[in-house]
Amino acid sequence: MKTTNTHLTLFGATGGIGRALLDQALALGHRVTALARDPSKLPEHPRLSVVEGDVHDPAVVRLALKNADAALIALGAPALSKSRVRSEGTQTIVDAMRATNVRRLVCVSVLGAGDSKKDLPALYRWIIFPTYLRRPLQEHEAQEAIIRTSGLDWTIVRPPNLTDGPSTGDFWHGLGTPDADLTLKISRADVAGFMLQQLESAAYLRSAPALSYA
């Protein structure tokens, strides 16, 4: 995929990682189309187009994907919410990507989803995820399953606890259990930077790398 003047469609642009993706993508010179229910939450920028609407609406999602080179998903909901925006929204996006022939997809999930649960400390495996984070974990896993069977050129990014720190570019990423002890923390800015890097790389094509500061 071309790496300059790339046209990206961003879903979840008003959230923490989504806003970091938007700011960094524009700073890198990409053109961005963002789908938002409330466009007033997004800045004005000459390379930013905003489509007003809901990610559950297939026609609006297809419109947001028009002429896109790739899609970025950073959909989210509060931990205790019963929202299914991650899974249902992702299904709508995947269907629209197929219809509009947009192949490249990078989506943020969470460390602990699927086969990465084994890489978490016992406190997370047996207490935090089965209780407080049970619902968002189920949503992330449903979302990942939709993407894995989509037939698209996907990458799923699995960060641990998120912080509001700066972009450092200095963190561990990989598949499976890391060799070094990790803090299980990473900034939203670094997650966004890593997601954008995947648009220029096939290193993690159709795989789900984890991220963390060492």
Side-chain angles (χ1 to χ4, degrees):
M1 191 184 75
K2 60 184 179 179
T3 59
T4 58
N5 197 29
T6 302
H7 183 185
L8 309 176
T9 299
L10 174 57
F11 300 96
T14 60
I17 291 177
R19 185 55 189 269
L21 280 166
L22 177 61
D23 292 344
Q24 292 184 35
L26 293 173
L28 289 169
H30 299 303
R31 291 179 295 130
V32 180
T33 297
L35 177 65
R37 286 177 295 178
D38 184 358
S40 68
K41 292 183 178 181
L42 297 176
E44 293 186 2
H45 192 282
R47 290 194 306 279
L48 172 62
S49 300
V50 180
V51 174
E52 182 176 0
D54 191 281
V55 74
H56 294 91
D57 185 333
V60 171
V61 173
R62 286 195 299 270
L63 178 62
L65 285 164
K66 185 178 180 180
N67 299 322
D69 297 304
L72 299 162
I73 299 179
L75 298 172
L80 300 181
S81 170
K82 294 182 179 180
S83 169
R84 294 183 178 177
V85 68
R86 287 189 181 96
S87 59
E88 293 178 353
T90 297
Q91 184 66 69
T92 304
I93 294 166
V94 164
D95 291 343
M97 289 180 70
R98 292 187 186 123
T100 55
N101 199 32
V102 179
R103 298 287 309 166
R104 190 69 173 106
L105 171 62
V106 182
C107 177
V108 62
S109 181
V110 67
L111 183 61
D115 59 357
S116 67
K117 180 179 179 181
K118 68 181 186 307
D119 300 322
L120 295 175
L123 175 65
Y124 286 85
R125 289 200 311 272
W126 305 117
I127 298 177
I128 295 177
F129 272 102
T131 55
Y132 180 68
L133 296 179
R134 177 178 60 85
R135 194 177 299 276
L137 179 62
Q138 290 173 342
E139 267 291 276
H140 277 299
E141 291 185 334
Q143 179 186 48
E144 288 195 8
I146 291 165
I147 292 172
R148 288 176 181 276
T149 58
S150 67
L152 300 173
D153 299 330
W154 56 268
T155 300
I156 295 168
V157 176
R158 290 169 166 172
N161 297 309
L162 299 169
T163 74
D164 291 323
S167 175
T168 68
D170 184 16
F171 51 88
W172 174 86
H173 57 86
L175 305 171
T177 305
D179 296 330
D181 291 335
L182 302 177
T183 63
L184 295 184
K185 294 180 180 179
I186 193 168
S187 71
R188 292 173 176 84
D190 271 330
V191 175
F194 181 81
M195 291 177 69
L196 290 170
Q197 289 171 12
Q198 303 319 299
L199 299 174
E200 306 177 10
S201 172
Y204 290 119
L205 188 63
R206 296 192 183 91
S207 60
L211 314 177
S212 178
Y213 295 138

